[in-house]
Amino acid sequence: MKISFWKINKNFRCSTAMQRTTGTIIFDTVFLVLLVVVWGIIIWLIKRAPSVVPTHFGPSGQPDAWGSPTRHLIPQAIITVVALIMLVGAYFPKSTLNLPGYDKEKANARQHQLAAWLIRIMAAFMLVLMLLIALSTFVLTSHSVVPMLSVVVVMVVVCLVFSVMMYKAK
């Protein structure tokens, strides 16, 4: 059985939703499994955490606010909701994505498909950020901004690469 991550229907117009392929089903399933695993790790870390933990880090990477470990659940829940909205939004790139070189009305099937994959990949990076936030709060003793910034830089590079790919797909 051949798995097609980049199946293109030339006659497809993105008026309502993207078509599901084997690749998108696999990606979505792996994403949801990883989401459950990340939340399991976060809950485990919260249960092991002391009664007071850092809740905010300044530009230098040093904690500048402290609070209960359960207070950490609020930003993680917000990131989870955003990631899930992005995952669902990947099936509707015409209404969820606004990038240079991506004309929603004139885009071809390849551009719509690239836009949908960009949204999915960014949702996956949200999981990485969630895990890094939890690890930096509950596990690491020396806090550095380098891991977070490196993930953000990779996210920006991925957006730029996909923007160029969508522009060239005209």
Side-chain angles (χ1 to χ4, degrees):
M1 179 175 117
K2 183 180 176 187
I3 296 175
S4 173
F5 282 90
W6 301 99
K7 182 178 174 184
I8 298 175
N9 179 353
K10 299 285 184 190
N11 299 321
F12 174 70
R13 289 288 168 236
C14 189
S15 59
T16 55
M18 293 291 291
Q19 296 173 337
R20 292 189 70 141
T21 64
T22 306
T24 60
I25 293 169
I26 290 172
F27 187 93
D28 294 350
T29 304
V30 169
F31 176 88
L32 293 173
V33 167
L34 287 175
L35 181 65
V36 170
V37 169
V38 167
W39 266 103
I41 292 170
I42 290 169
I43 291 168
W44 179 69
L45 289 172
I46 287 174
K47 287 184 177 185
R48 291 186 53 224
S51 60
V52 177
V53 295
T55 57
H56 187 267
F57 299 91
S60 66
Q62 297 304 316
D64 59 8
W66 300 82
S68 167
T70 55
R71 203 171 141 196
H72 182 70
L73 292 173
I74 295 169
Q76 298 293 25
I78 291 169
I79 293 172
T80 299
V81 168
V82 170
L84 289 172
I85 288 170
M86 290 172 72
L87 192 64
V88 171
Y91 289 99
F92 307 94
K94 188 173 181 180
S95 59
T96 58
L97 191 64
N98 184 12
L99 284 174
Y102 178 65
D103 185 350
K104 297 173 186 179
E105 301 303 322
K106 298 178 184 176
N108 60 34
R110 175 76 174 154
Q111 288 174 313
H112 287 303
Q113 191 174 46
L114 287 169
W117 276 103
L118 172 61
I119 295 169
R120 282 187 188 92
I121 291 169
M122 289 298 111
F125 274 117
M126 298 297 280
L127 295 182
V128 174
L129 284 175
M130 279 177 58
L131 192 56
L132 282 175
I133 291 169
L135 291 174
S136 69
T137 302
F138 300 119
V139 176
L140 301 178
T141 54
S142 63
H143 303 282
S144 171
V145 295
V146 173
M148 299 285 188
L149 284 178
S150 60
V151 171
V152 171
V153 166
V154 170
M155 289 172 78
V156 169
V157 169
V158 168
C159 284
L160 291 173
V161 167
F162 269 81
S163 293
V164 169
M165 289 170 62
M166 283 187 274
Y167 180 77
K168 288 184 176 182
K170 285 184 177 182

